[in-house]
Amino acid sequence: MKKTLLNSLLVAALLAVSASVQAQVPEGKVYIKNVQAGLWWGCANEWGAHASLIPHADYVTIMQENGAYTIETQVSNGGESYYFAGDYMDGAKTPFNIEQSGNYFTIANTNGEYFGTDNNTLANGTQILGKNVSGDNALWEIFTEDEMKASL
């Protein structure tokens, strides 16, 4: 009896810890900064809609649906095409995995390819968002709107 109760308590504690880690991915309006490059997730280059790392903070909206996340942008290609879709910021709603990694986050597509910097800065001071990067290049800080306002 004691062993069953102990096991039940252990399972409940593990579920609570798991739920608290998942809850740490900020949702709503956020600002995303690449740790390695020191640049912000945003739109630039090719028609101004290419997913890029840029020198100034632009907000996106992170929403969780069915265990995955979507990233809504401020760029529209008409209709419902205003989501980050892997290469451009004006695509259809696309699911992504966002996970905490220590004090930072990783963002990956459903194929397990991580997004980040490839350390290739263009003449305009931006970078095309790297795909299938690893290590520190794939680490992000995610700031809520309140955190951004407090830092000003």
Side-chain angles (χ1 to χ4, degrees), residues 30-77:
V30 298
Y31 301 82
I32 304 174
K33 185 176 186 180
N34 184 267
V35 173
Q36 184 71 20
L39 296 171
W40 300 88
W41 184 289
C43 303
N45 305 301
E46 300 176 29
W47 301 288
H50 208 257
S52 300
L53 301 177
I54 59 178
H56 62 276
D58 270 345
Y59 76 86
V60 295
T61 304
I62 294 177
M63 297 170 287
Q64 185 178 28
E65 298 177 10
N66 303 320
Y69 293 90
T70 58
I71 302 172
E72 182 180 316
T73 72
Q74 303 173 64
V75 180
S76 176
N77 193 13

Side-chain angles (χ1 to χ4, degrees), residues 14-31:
L14 289 172
L15 289 173
V17 168
S18 174
S20 70
V21 168
Q22 289 177 344
Q24 292 177 3
V25 174
E27 292 184 59
K29 189 184 287 188
V30 298
Y31 301 82

Side-chain angles (χ1 to χ4, degrees), residues 4 8 17 37-38 40-41 58 60 74 77-79 81 92 104 116-118 120 138 144:
T4 303
S8 296
V17 168
W40 300 88
W41 184 289
D58 270 345
V60 295
Q74 303 173 64
N77 193 13
S81 298
Y104 304 113
T117 179
D118 61 7
N120 185 19
T144 65

Side-chain angles (χ1 to χ4, degrees), residues 77-94:
N77 193 13
E80 304 252 335
S81 298
Y82 47 86
Y83 291 90
F84 170 60
D87 290 311
Y88 290 91
M89 301 290 271
D90 60 351
K93 188 184 281 190
T94 305

